[in-house]
Amino acid sequence: MKTTIPTITLNNGIELPTIGLGVYRSSPEETVQAVRAALAAGYPMIDTAAAYGNEAEVGEGIRSSGTGRADVFLQTKLWISDYGFDSALHAFDRSTRKLGYETVDLYLLHQPMPDEFERTIAAWKAAERLLADGRARAIGVSNFSPAHLDRLLAGSAIVPAVNQVEVHPFFTQKPLSAVHEKLAITTQAWSPIGGVNRYYTQDPRPEDDPLRHPVITALAEKYGRTPAQIVLRWGIELGHSVIPKSVSPARIIENAGIFDFALSPQEIASIDALDTGRRGGPEPDSINTTAFPFRVED
């Protein structure tokens, strides 16, 4: 049975689903089936990126699912090699061609690239053009800090609708969320159950996995839920949109089963208290076209 998913109203009036399927690290072969499973389970949103190398398979999964395009919130991201005004517009055309759709619902700049911020600003102005032309219904950023947002807003006209950032119980980003609230930017959490602590390291340790923490497992036992469901529900309670990644149909269904219970304020606070302040993913300030020379092919 499909789950009814609530939405968040973005600062331009567009409705953003509170949960969607992430496909980072999903192989092209796995992506089609994962998208089909998510849409069958009632997920209204799919998140991909040019750099993930699976935009074409996301589009194929949507079309082969029988779900109409109007019923899918589709979002993708611009990779740093294509920052700049004209190059960003070209990259958007490439993404929509691969997806097989002329428009996206949300278009994000994948990284702030502070060492080459003039190109970041130019890419954002291209995103503003895409928004004005109706090719993107909303535009936003990913992995931007408060300082990055200040620099962006100083050189642009439109406040991002979304900032997609690493958020999980061990890295809560409370100061950033406070800035988002002030600016009416919606927080969208990537790696919302802390998977980055398992895959973005050569030595994954159980103590770095939020799903194994006694606070989380005790709440899972109390509510008869999985630890992942508890963590995702915590993100929803904070007002975030979450995009957990999975290629398992059973896990995809499980992850969406979080809208028929609620955590108490005290329970939310107990999860907030698990914050270590330690980022699991790469430091955004370190990402530039020299350190990451990868380019997306046409």
Side-chain angles (χ1 to χ4, degrees), residues 212-225:
R212 301 192 187 194
H213 195 282
V215 168
I216 304 297
T217 57
L219 288 170
E221 183 175 357
K222 172 183 175 180
Y223 285 99
R225 303 286 173 156

Side-chain angles (χ1 to χ4, degrees), residues 91-217:
F92 180 86
D93 288 341
R94 181 178 59 220
S95 284
T96 53
R97 184 178 71 249
K98 289 182 178 181
L99 288 163
Y101 297 107
E102 294 182 356
T103 63
V104 300
D105 297 289
L106 177 61
Y107 196 51
L108 304 173
L109 272 59
H110 206 147
Q111 297 286 347
M113 209 163 63
D115 291 350
E116 303 177 59
F117 210 74
E118 296 80 6
R119 293 181 62 211
T120 303
I121 292 289
W124 183 249
K125 290 184 180 298
E128 292 179 334
R129 169 72 63 83
L130 293 167
L131 180 68
D133 291 346
R135 301 194 66 196
R137 297 176 64 228
I139 56 175
V141 295
S142 184
N143 300 304
F144 275 51
S145 69
H148 301 145
L149 290 171
D150 284 345
R151 291 181 71 184
L152 184 72
L153 294 176
S156 60
I158 296 177
V159 177
V162 169
N163 189 9
Q164 186 187 106
V165 293
E166 178 185 345
V167 176
H168 49 76
F170 288 177
F171 191 59
T172 62
Q173 298 237 57
K174 291 294 184 182
L176 179 59
S177 292
V179 171
H180 287 173
E181 184 173 359
K182 179 180 178 181
L183 296 173
I185 297 171
T186 294
T187 302
Q188 187 173 69
W190 64 258
S191 195
I193 58 177
V196 66
N197 288 353
R198 296 185 291 278
Y199 65 72
Y200 203 81
T201 178
Q202 297 297 319
D203 182 28
R205 301 177 300 177
E207 60 267 30
D208 291 332
D209 186 352
L211 302 184
R212 301 192 187 194
H213 195 282
V215 168
I216 304 297
T217 57

